[in-house]
Amino acid sequence: MRLQTRLSGLLLGVLAVGLLLFGGVAYLSFQQQQQRELGALLERELARVRSLLETPAAAVGAQLLSDDQTDLTLQFVSPDNEVVLPLGAGVPLPRYDTPTLVRVADERWQLVAAAPWQAPDGSVRGTIRLGLDVSDPIGARQTLFRSLLLSGVLVVLVAALLGIWLLRRSLRPLGALAGRARAVDPADPQPIRYDGPADEVADLAAALNTALAGIRARHDAERAALAEVAHELAAPLSVVAGHLASVAAHEHEDTRLQAAHAAAQELLYTSQDLLTLARGELERPLDLELFDLRDVVSKIAREYPGIRLCDHPDQPAEMAGNPQRMAQVVRNLVRNAVQASGGTQTVWLELTATPDEHRLTVGDHGPGIAPDALPHLFERFYTRRGGVGVGLSVARQIVEQHGGSIEVSSELHEGSRFTVRVPSLQTQFDEADEQDEPLGETEA
């Protein structure tokens, strides 16, 4: 559940609970105050009646009930619970020593109280019972309850809409920061721009930029160290490979010499891959040249005697790009296939040229690749049989630089097949025309 949804629900819950508590306290306070005032009125009238009855002289010509109390009902009830006065009153009122609310009909309410009925000589003749019709006050109380409920619902809705709008506006800088954080390139982490107030989100943005600066510094340090190591390896390996090649040219029968030369070449190519990564060359724009992919594939095939080059196209496979980088792609794929199959005899290359794209397939009949390893093959420093694990990663980045793609298919004990697809020269020109941009400087 997203933060905005959780905060909106929390806001609605707090508003609803707050208004419920406020409305409940207001309603209960009004109810208790109303009950106290009506009870006090009933007790005053009951005390007045008792006072008049206990002093007959003062009661002569006096009314038992006040003139303005038309909602009062007065009964004199005998000890056997029969109404003595007024005659024919029927059912006596309930007897309660303190004012008590009772329901006398479907829509009528009375507040009733009783007191002893004493004669002037002190004898008790029964009880005086007084009832106050409080149906109107009860109706007012119910009206107040409905008003509080309706106003509470309206307040919650209005406050919720306003609160959600303000909440979304407040969270907008956080959402923008999250989007920019997702767009950070792990290979080149740049500081994240923050547009918003100086609050906790600004602190978060500052912390992220500090972390990214640390990552970038460490990345640059590792790249510099890697470049130094690769450079230190490349120089002597070039000398060793050159001398071994010269000696091997005269000693064709010495298999140990041939193996040493092949091993030196592999180390030299690995150091070149490391140097390519360390210098950040894969992040730079390509220096475009026009070249024929057939020449690149033929050159690499000659470097690995025994590889079968099949279905070499007759028509040119022209494209715009960097031929040295594409040679690095083909070489890395061939080296991977040779290492997987244990030799060059079961490795084959196939190049297909069409007006739209050129497709290069490098296959082998080796042990194949496990299904769980396929998704990780092009990850940097991932390796299954030892080694550095940068060849396939470098190959994919170079192919993508040229606007192409690379994919792999494999079956256990059957072999593997890597397929590179790159756009043809005509397709590259068409795409450049659609984007209204020049293809770039080219060299013949």
Side-chain angles (χ1 to χ4, degrees):
M1 184 180 295
R2 296 183 64 83
L3 176 62
Q4 179 177 322
T5 303
R6 297 200 306 272
L7 291 179
S8 299
L10 181 62
L11 175 64
L12 287 176
V14 171
L15 282 174
V17 171
L19 285 175
L20 179 63
L21 292 176
F22 172 78
V25 171
Y27 178 76
L28 290 176
S29 300
F30 176 78
Q31 180 183 10
Q32 292 175 359
Q33 180 65 24
Q34 186 186 60
Q35 192 97 2
R36 284 194 298 267
E37 292 179 356
L38 293 175
L41 172 63
L42 194 63
E43 288 179 342
R44 287 197 304 270
E45 290 297 323
L46 190 58
R48 182 175 182 273
V49 172
R50 290 186 63 190
S51 176
L52 290 174
L53 291 177
E54 291 174 359
T55 56
V60 176
Q63 293 184 355
L64 294 177
L65 298 177
S66 302
D67 293 336
D68 56 346
Q69 299 299 329
T70 57
D71 293 334
L72 286 171
T73 300
L74 178 62
Q75 291 180 350
F76 295 88
V77 183
S78 64
D80 56 358
N81 205 34
E82 290 185 0
V83 179
V84 177
L85 290 175
L87 294 174
V91 179
L93 294 171
R95 179 179 176 177
Y96 291 99
D97 295 334
T98 58
T100 304
L101 188 65
V102 297
R103 192 183 189 102
V104 296
D106 292 341
E107 299 295 335
R108 309 302 294 175
W109 291 86
Q110 276 189 331
L111 193 65
V112 298
W117 174 17
Q118 290 182 339
D121 58 2
S123 60
V124 178
R125 296 182 177 181
T127 57
I128 303 171
R129 303 184 186 184
L130 196 61
L132 176 62
D133 188 350
V134 292
S135 298
D136 291 341
I138 293 297
R141 188 188 302 173
Q142 294 173 347
T143 301
L144 174 64
F145 176 79
R146 289 192 292 268
S147 299
L148 288 174
L149 181 62
L150 179 60
S151 60
V153 172
L154 292 177
V155 168
V156 168
L157 289 177
V158 173
L161 292 176
L162 180 61
I164 291 174
W165 179 76
L166 291 175
L167 184 63
R168 293 184 61 182
R169 184 172 181 177
S170 300
L171 291 177
R172 193 175 300 158
L174 181 59
L177 179 64
R180 295 188 183 110
R182 285 192 294 268
V184 171
D185 183 5
D188 186 24
Q190 297 294 331
I192 301 175
R193 189 181 82 256
Y194 171 70
D195 302 322
D199 53 10
E200 289 80 357
V201 181
D203 296 340
L204 175 62
L208 282 175
N209 284 331
T210 301
L212 289 175
I215 293 173
R216 184 175 180 84
R218 185 179 180 88
H219 181 72
D220 291 342
E222 290 177 350
R223 177 176 286 182
L226 186 62
E228 184 176 353
V229 171
H231 180 72
E232 293 296 327
L233 287 174
L237 283 174
S238 298
V239 175
V240 170
H243 285 300
L244 287 175
S246 178
V247 174
H250 298 85
E251 301 290 340
H252 299 288
E253 303 299 330
D254 193 338
T255 57
R256 291 177 299 175
L257 187 60
Q258 297 291 339
H261 176 248
Q265 286 292 106
E266 292 300 319
L267 289 174
L268 182 60
Y269 295 145
T270 299
S271 67
Q272 291 175 351
D273 289 338
L274 291 174
L275 200 58
T276 299
L277 291 175
R279 290 174 176 174
E281 296 178 1
L282 299 181
E283 284 83 28
R284 301 173 189 169
L286 290 171
D287 294 328
L288 298 181
E289 300 179 21
L290 293 181
F291 66 95
D292 192 339
L293 189 57
R294 295 182 305 173
D295 298 336
V296 173
V297 174
S298 299
K299 175 186 175 182
I300 303 303
R302 288 193 298 269
E303 293 179 3
Y304 291 87
I307 290 180
R308 182 163 53 93
L309 182 61
C310 53
D311 294 336
H312 208 50
D314 296 330
Q315 66 273 21
E318 292 183 334
M319 61 179 295
N322 189 308
Q324 290 77 25
R325 289 283 173 263
M326 288 303 300
Q328 195 172 0
V329 170
V330 181
R331 183 180 293 113
N332 285 352
L333 294 178
V334 171
R335 288 168 53 205
N336 187 72
V338 170
Q339 292 173 0
S341 59
T344 61
Q345 303 303 318
T346 60
V347 179
W348 52 272
L349 286 81
E350 179 180 358
L351 177 64
T352 303
T354 67
D356 296 328
E357 68 174 12
H358 307 317
R359 184 172 66 252
L360 170 66
T361 302
V362 179
D364 64 75
H365 297 291
I369 304 171
D372 58 343
L374 287 175
H376 307 287
L377 282 181
F378 297 101
E379 295 178 3
R380 187 173 296 182
F381 304 121
Y382 176 81
T383 178
R384 297 174 297 124
R385 295 181 303 271
V388 180
V390 296
L392 292 179
S393 174
V394 169
R396 183 182 66 175
Q397 289 184 263
I398 294 176
V399 170
E400 291 177 350
Q401 273 188 317
H402 287 78
S405 64
I406 183 171
E407 58 188 24
V408 58
S409 61
S410 180
E411 295 183 9
L412 289 176
H413 312 297
E414 296 292 334
S416 304
R417 177 179 300 188
F418 289 81
T419 303
V420 175
R421 301 175 186 271
V422 290
S424 66
L425 181 62
Q426 184 60 47
T427 299
Q428 289 176 305
F429 278 126
D430 293 341
E431 291 177 353
D433 290 340
E434 291 178 1
Q435 298 175 2
D436 197 21
E437 295 179 355
L439 185 60
E441 296 294 332
T442 61
E443 300 178 5

